[in-house]
Amino acid sequence: MVVFAKRILMAMIRFHQEGKYMKLVVFNVGSALCVYAEHQTTRIVFDIGKGNNFSPVNDFLLPLYEKRGEHRLKNRNNRYGISQLIVSHPHKDHISDIQEFDKNFYAHLLTTPNSKSPNGNPQNINWRKITTPDDPDVKYLKRMKIGRNLPLRSFDSEHLKIGYLWPLDVENNSELLNESYTNNVSIVSFLSFGNYRVFLPGDLQKLAMGEFLNKKTSIRNSYAESIRTELANGVDFLICPHHGLKSSFSVDLFSSMKDGKTNKLNIIPEKSLSSDDVRTVDSRYSTSEYCKGNNNLSTKDKPVYQRKTSNGHIYINENGDVEVLTDITDVINRFLS
């Protein structure tokens, strides 16, 4: 009986420790995207875009690691180690800080749409179909992948699920190809460490999202079933697809979720719009039809369903409480505490 009680106690302690230590931030990087998450010793970067006046590497990661006194990896050119870097797709706004990252950090697992094996493999990205194949950051990412084991491995497969539509099938589908080849080969990620669950669909657009989630689809996909299962079990935070643009709002996505809506908050990594740009953020993300608003920002009289990164860095603590912080020093201190 005593031994059994000790086992129960140890299990409760392990559960408590796991449940109390996930922190995540969606950075205010203008029209780009970058998300950083920690759980115990696991550190994951989702996309690595930078803003006009903010670099996730120089303004956050380097100061954080230096203040912690992290050890540099002598066998990796004296860089700091990060568990995994997931580059959802090779668009400039998702990789504009990639060179600074690679100069200072080594991702033990680099994940991006596959291009390791010879052309013709359906899982291979077709770099000739990429929107900007000659962009210096795109070329740099191509060099980074040399010798790496790409793409669909997770540093922690129990808590991080990833998948994507196979690029050759996107290329051979005229509707998906015209919608945007580069966006539609986006790797999607589902993160379920600790006390909350986060879905990060990259820039997957409306038609492609439907194909990804459709069990009867003729388009092959990798690990979609596990992500469908995660969605059906519930989503607390959605990093809205394709920067929350109206053109990419997916009814299929919400239909796949438990209760047909997110539990806590829809987060929009807002796309900066020029005066002649007709793209708009979809207003449905900010309604009770697509979010329950069960978060610390909501009050009885004024529920909050959506927050935009244009208002600041969106930090989520280990309990799932949200803060919108304009000073990156405050974000660093949250991760240090």
Side-chain angles (χ1 to χ4, degrees):
M1 188 71 179
V2 174
V3 173
F4 179 74
K6 286 183 177 179
R7 287 177 180 174
I8 294 293
L9 178 60
M10 291 303 296
M12 292 176 63
I13 291 172
R14 283 195 300 271
F15 177 81
H16 178 77
Q17 289 173 338
E18 285 195 4
K20 294 296 286 183
Y21 191 67
M22 183 168 99
K23 299 179 181 182
L24 180 145
V25 58
V26 186
F27 294 107
N28 177 7
V29 282
S31 60
L33 179 66
C34 184
V35 179
Y36 177 74
E38 287 190 354
H39 178 263
Q40 297 179 351
T41 59
T42 299
R43 287 93 184 263
I44 305 173
V45 177
F46 300 89
D47 288 318
I48 192 68
K50 65 180 178 181
N52 292 331
N53 301 306
F54 178 79
S55 161
V57 175
N58 293 321
D59 297 322
F60 174 78
L61 286 173
L62 278 174
L64 176 64
Y65 275 56
E66 288 167 358
K67 288 184 178 183
R68 281 179 171 162
E70 298 277 359
H71 295 293
R72 293 179 179 267
L73 306 174
K74 293 183 180 179
N75 62 339
R76 299 297 180 186
N77 296 325
N78 213 34
R79 291 175 288 176
Y80 292 117
I82 275 184
S83 306
Q84 186 164 9
L85 169 64
I86 298 177
V87 175
S88 63
H89 63 293
H91 263 162
K92 182 75 169 183
D93 55 335
H94 293 252
I95 57 172
S96 50
D97 217 17
I98 190 75
Q99 297 189 46
E100 284 300 304
F101 178 89
D102 192 47
K103 183 172 70 176
N104 295 284
F105 291 88
Y106 176 79
H108 294 288
L109 194 55
L110 171 63
T111 306
T112 194
N114 190 26
S115 63
K116 184 180 180 182
S117 56
N119 289 335
N121 184 323
Q123 297 182 60
N124 276 359
I125 196 169
N126 185 343
W127 292 94
R128 295 187 301 273
K129 295 291 184 182
I130 297 300
T131 310
T132 56
D134 295 324
D135 181 87
D137 291 321
V138 172
K139 290 183 174 181
Y140 196 90
L141 177 62
K142 288 178 68 176
R143 291 194 296 271
M144 276 182 68
K145 72 177 180 57
I146 295 173
R148 304 302 297 267
N149 188 8
L150 303 173
L152 284 183
R153 291 174 55 213
S154 171
F155 194 83
D156 186 337
S157 59
E158 180 182 353
H159 298 99
L160 173 63
K161 305 293 192 303
I162 53 181
Y164 70 146
L165 289 174
W166 286 8
L168 184 61
D169 290 328
V170 175
E171 183 180 350
N172 290 336
N173 183 298
S174 59
E175 289 185 298
L176 297 180
L177 186 64
N178 291 333
E179 191 180 45
S180 173
Y181 173 80
T182 315
N183 285 337
N184 287 340
V185 298
S186 286
I187 289 177
V188 302
S189 306
F190 200 104
L191 190 62
S192 57
F193 288 112
N195 289 337
Y196 51 92
R197 302 160 57 81
V198 186
F199 185 48
L200 305 98
D203 277 4
L204 204 63
Q205 296 196 249
K206 186 186 301 183
L207 291 175
M209 183 72 77
E211 289 285 0
F212 185 82
L213 296 172
N214 183 1
K215 293 182 180 180
K216 298 180 180 179
T217 182
S218 60
I219 302 294
R220 292 169 290 190
N221 57 66
S222 197
Y223 302 112
E225 183 59 39
S226 64
I227 291 179
R228 283 195 295 263
T229 299
E230 295 289 357
L231 290 170
N233 288 332
V235 179
D236 290 308
F237 296 97
L238 170 67
I239 313 300
C240 298
H242 200 204
H243 309 276
L245 294 178
K246 190 173 184 178
S247 59
S248 297
F249 186 92
S250 173
V251 174
D252 291 323
L253 171 57
F254 286 97
S255 297
S256 299
M257 293 181 190
K258 181 180 179 181
D259 301 323
K261 59 185 74 177
T262 56
N263 179 38
K264 290 182 178 289
L265 193 68
N266 295 324
I267 298 174
I268 295 182
E270 193 172 18
K271 196 81 170 179
S272 298
L273 303 179
S274 60
S275 58
D276 59 348
D277 199 329
V278 297
R279 297 174 299 177
T280 55
V281 170
D282 200 295
S283 61
R284 286 173 286 185
Y285 288 119
S286 60
T287 67
S288 59
E289 185 177 0
Y290 293 101
C291 181
K292 294 181 180 180
N294 293 328
N295 60 70
N296 61 296
L297 303 177
S298 293
T299 64
K300 183 179 179 180
D301 298 326
K302 190 175 182 180
V304 173
Y305 306 116
Q306 169 200 280
R307 276 292 178 263
K308 299 178 180 179
T309 55
S310 55
N311 296 318
H313 310 292
I314 299 177
Y315 168 77
I316 306 172
N317 72 9
E318 59 270 22
N319 297 315
D321 295 331
V322 181
E323 291 182 273
V324 182
L325 303 169
T326 57
D327 189 338
I328 193 59
T329 302
D330 292 333
V331 181
I332 292 171
N333 288 335
R334 300 299 189 275
F335 278 89
L336 290 173
S337 62

